[in-house]
Amino acid sequence: MAKHSYFLLSFLVLFHGCLGQIDLVTNRRQSPFPSQQPGRQQSPCQLQNLNVLEPKHRFKSEAGYTEFWDQNEQEFQCANVAFLRHTIFRKGLLLPSFNNAPQLIFVLEGQGIHGAIMAGCPDTYQTQVQRSPRGQQEQQQSPRDQHQKLRQFKQGDIIALPAGVPHWIFNNGQSQLVLVSLIDVGNKANQLDHFFRKFFLAGNPPQGLVSGGQRQSQSPRPWRRGQEEEEQQEQSNGNNMFSPFEPRDLADVLRIDERLARKIQNPNDNRGAIVYMKEASQLTSPQRAEEQQRPEQQREREEQEQREEEEWSPRRREQPREEEEWSPRRREEQPEERPSRRGHGCNGLEETYCTMRLRHKTDSSFADIFNPRAGRITTINSFNLPVLGDLQLSAERGVLYRNALYVPHWNLNAHTIVYITRGQGRVQIVSENGDSVFNEQVRQGQVFVVPQNFVVFKRASEQGLEWVSFKTSDMAKISQVAGRNSFFQSTPVEVLAAAFDISREEAFRLKENRQELTLFSPSQQQQ
């Protein structure tokens, strides 16, 4: 009997240990950002009418300006997001700051350098020390600057930023830099309220910019839609994170004198959130440095190869091939190119925290869907940018050619916030009641929101239509009404005939007349 009891006790201990190991392995798959787990804070969506949204507040700075959309609009309240646009002049620096929620940035114009300070990661980059005018001996004594990775970006790129990560952006191009941004305040990473908050680590930005324009938007002062409003910068004792601390405490922490400590508090700095960087010649990325050092002949050869490659890109609309043959990256045929999505069966080794990619291209060579008669769609999600698996966000860049159509469809698992980047077109959105809650012409610079499961349809004008969409899921899925792989084509003819009270022949035409995928060419009379 004693042996039997001993055997039973040993089995229970072993079984409990196995469960502990299983739990340990499961927990190892969690995100490196502990608070950014799947799931969102929900807000009521009582939407009887949707509107085209334009920026409401504008804050001037020394080297640019920032525009905010009103987060109190019912569309933004439903989607639990905030939206803004930065315009940075040449050699302008967006001051270091961090947000209370994840952020996606689309580079609308220009190019620049982006720095993101990942906590606990080593300083792997070095900046070349400028020659000292006082002689070689002083130059040798000058410390070499070391810092974290610099990321070069250009027009059309998507940049992802986790919540709480300090970042800055510098315009090193020859023209202005324009960035449009979505901040997902409904994300689980944000454990404050449902408003966007920006924590500046330098400068003295106006209070309205720090609070995402909310102080101004709650003012009773009337404002007419479409009217540009210039916000006066509010002066205070300093609006960066160092301003309230005692200069003596800062001096002790940083081992500096109190005079310098008072300087970094910036109480009298009126330059705003975007300032000019006077000494920026040594600030460069490896990509830019290698471009400057390559011989001229090599650069010309690489440019020629790039031109030849682009000749076979989706821009060659004159050859009407099937759109599947022209999808540049048919991921369904190349599963080996898909990195596993973090938190969904990955082993944690596909991308390390300190070297994770925060940028992805969206140009024509990266298109996922292409129709030479209609346009192209590029999708950025956690398959091709794994950090989005932690942020629970994704993006889509769309291009519709003249009079082309984006088939009516709905998002299964995400709200969609659309920014028109070029051209004009008509957009219609239908609610669950069969009501048309939005049916308007849209143009460049405008924003509209498509709530989850609402059906949306786009038709380009004679000038075409281009947009970037931000979605509140890292793997946003759509279901389309017509065309291949659609509701109509995947439903039996008999069911369609009975559902719409039409003949079997009419149901067959309804099912088979469109064989395109997602993007449809216009009818003959529209061309």
Side-chain angles (χ1 to χ4, degrees):
M1 184 65 181
K3 290 183 179 180
H4 179 73
S5 300
Y6 176 78
F7 175 77
L8 181 60
L9 179 61
S10 301
F11 176 77
L12 291 175
V13 171
L14 179 62
F15 182 71
H16 179 74
C18 291
L19 289 179
Q21 290 295 322
I22 292 173
D23 181 67
L24 178 61
V25 171
T26 303
N27 289 335
R28 283 175 179 170
R29 294 181 177 179
Q30 291 181 355
S31 164
F33 306 102
S35 62
Q36 296 178 220
Q37 299 299 321
R40 292 178 50 77
Q41 304 174 23
Q42 295 182 350
S43 294
C45 295
Q46 302 297 329
L47 302 176
Q48 305 303 321
N49 187 46
L50 299 175
N51 300 302
V52 170
L53 306 174
E54 298 193 14
K56 184 173 182 180
H57 301 282
R58 179 173 176 176
F59 298 89
K60 285 186 175 180
S61 298
E62 177 189 57
Y65 52 90
T66 302
E67 298 163 289
F68 284 95
W69 277 251
D70 185 2
Q71 194 183 333
N72 288 313
E73 296 280 5
Q74 61 171 352
E75 293 86 352
F76 290 141
Q77 288 288 307
C78 172
N80 253 334
V81 298
F83 205 87
L84 63 91
R85 178 170 61 203
H86 290 298
T87 300
I88 305 174
F89 301 154
R90 185 170 177 265
K91 293 187 178 180
L93 171 70
L94 179 61
L95 291 176
S97 64
F98 58 91
N99 306 327
N100 64 323
Q103 180 177 5
L104 278 186
I105 301 173
F106 177 73
V107 184
L108 186 62
E109 297 179 25
Q111 65 178 37
I113 293 179
H114 169 235
I117 314 304
M118 312 301 285
C121 295
D123 299 333
T124 57
Y125 277 44
Q126 292 184 344
T127 299
Q128 182 179 354
V129 178
Q130 293 182 345
R131 291 186 177 275
S132 171
R134 298 183 180 180
Q136 185 70 19
Q137 182 178 0
E138 183 175 337
Q139 177 193 354
Q140 294 176 351
Q141 296 175 354
S142 299
R144 181 177 295 275
D145 182 27
Q146 290 187 282
H147 49 80
Q148 285 195 16
K149 181 177 181 177
L150 302 182
R151 298 168 173 87
Q152 182 77 34
F153 62 84
K154 63 179 182 179
Q155 180 178 347
D157 287 353
I158 288 284
I159 301 172
L161 286 173
V165 172
H167 62 276
W168 53 265
I169 291 176
F170 173 64
N171 180 0
N172 66 343
Q174 301 301 314
S175 61
Q176 71 176 11
L177 173 63
V178 182
L179 311 170
V180 292
S181 298
L182 174 128
I183 299 90
D184 184 18
V185 294
N187 194 285
K188 287 295 186 181
N190 176 27
Q191 299 188 23
L192 300 175
D193 53 31
H194 288 194
F195 291 103
F196 169 48
R197 300 169 186 262
K198 198 168 187 67
F199 298 80
F200 280 90
L201 295 168
N204 182 25
Q207 181 63 37
L209 199 152
V210 171
S211 59
Q214 293 311 304
R215 174 169 297 185
Q216 283 74 17
S217 65
Q218 294 169 1
S219 170
R221 181 173 51 194
W223 177 84
R224 292 175 297 174
R225 185 176 301 279
Q227 175 183 0
E228 183 183 78
E229 181 176 332
E230 296 279 347
E231 297 292 346
Q232 298 295 326
Q233 295 189 5
E234 304 174 17
Q235 298 303 317
S236 63
N237 293 326
N239 279 329
N240 71 52
M241 294 296 99
F242 300 111
S243 299
F245 290 104
E246 294 291 337
R248 182 179 61 182
D249 294 335
L250 287 178
D252 287 343
V253 169
L254 301 175
R255 277 193 182 176
I256 56 177
D257 56 63
E258 291 190 25
R259 178 188 62 84
L260 180 56
R262 282 189 289 269
K263 275 189 173 183
I264 68 174
Q265 291 179 317
N266 297 112
N268 300 316
D269 190 344
N270 299 322
R271 297 177 298 167
I274 307 172
V275 303
Y276 284 113
M277 186 185 295
K278 298 178 181 178
E279 299 179 1
S281 59
Q282 304 304 316
L283 185 64
T284 185
S285 65
Q287 177 184 0
R288 175 62 65 87
E290 291 175 1
E291 288 176 355
Q292 294 173 351
Q293 294 178 7
R294 284 201 306 266
E296 184 67 24
Q297 293 181 350
Q298 182 180 352
R299 286 202 298 268
E300 291 179 356
R301 184 169 61 252
E302 292 178 354
E303 290 174 358
Q304 177 64 26
E305 293 175 354
Q306 179 68 21
R307 284 194 295 269
E308 293 176 354
E309 181 180 351
E310 289 180 352
E311 290 179 358
W312 293 95
S313 72
R315 296 176 183 174
R316 293 195 64 189
R317 298 167 51 189
E318 63 273 12
Q319 296 187 13
R321 300 191 180 184
E322 289 295 327
E323 50 195 309
E324 279 195 354
E325 296 178 2
W326 279 75
S327 295
R329 293 201 167 189
R330 296 186 62 193
R331 293 176 182 155
E332 64 274 14
E333 295 182 356
Q334 300 176 0
E336 66 279 2
E337 293 185 1
R338 292 184 173 184
S340 298
R341 185 158 53 119
R342 182 175 285 111
H344 296 267
C346 66
N347 60 11
L349 298 177
E350 77 284 358
E351 189 175 57
T352 63
Y353 172 75
C354 291
T355 60
M356 68 170 59
R357 286 191 306 115
L358 300 179
R359 179 183 66 90
H360 191 75
K361 297 180 180 180
T362 66
D363 55 36
S364 58
S365 61
F366 286 81
D368 298 288
I369 296 174
F370 175 67
N371 184 337
R373 299 169 297 275
R376 66 178 185 269
I377 296 290
T378 304
T379 302
I380 304 93
N381 54 31
S382 55
F383 276 147
N384 48 29
L385 190 59
V387 67
L388 296 180
D390 301 312
L391 274 57
Q392 292 294 293
L393 292 171
S394 59
E396 172 190 278
R397 186 180 181 187
V399 176
L400 279 180
Y401 301 149
R402 185 181 66 172
N403 297 324
L405 317 174
Y406 193 165
V407 62
H409 64 279
W410 63 91
N411 281 275
L412 278 68
N413 58 344
H415 299 302
T416 304
I417 297 85
V418 183
Y419 179 89
I420 305 300
T421 60
R422 185 176 300 175
Q424 297 181 12
R426 184 172 65 86
V427 176
Q428 186 170 8
I429 303 174
V430 178
S431 71
E432 76 278 9
N433 296 321
D435 298 328
S436 180
V437 295
F438 186 93
N439 188 5
E440 297 188 28
Q441 292 288 328
V442 295
R443 54 179 170 80
Q444 181 176 341
Q446 293 182 327
V447 172
F448 61 91
V449 176
V450 184
Q452 178 186 2
N453 297 136
F454 281 41
V455 177
V456 58
F457 166 72
K458 298 186 182 79
R459 179 191 289 273
S461 67
E462 290 287 334
Q463 294 79 33
L465 181 66
E466 300 183 20
W467 69 89
V468 59
S469 297
F470 303 97
K471 303 191 178 188
T472 57
S473 171
D474 68 306
M475 283 298 296
K477 303 176 180 65
I478 70 168
S479 182
Q480 61 189 51
V481 173
R484 282 187 290 175
N485 303 324
S486 67
F487 161 71
F488 280 149
Q489 192 171 79
S490 299
T491 303
V493 170
E494 290 77 7
V495 174
L496 293 176
F500 294 102
D501 193 19
I502 57 179
S503 67
R504 194 176 187 281
E505 291 72 19
E506 290 173 325
F508 189 82
R509 291 203 306 271
L510 188 67
K511 177 174 180 175
E512 300 295 339
N513 273 4
R514 278 290 191 178
Q515 291 299 317
E516 295 167 297
L517 177 67
T518 306
L519 303 181
F520 292 176
S521 57
S523 58
Q524 295 297 326
Q525 58 268 28
Q526 291 285 341
Q527 292 181 342

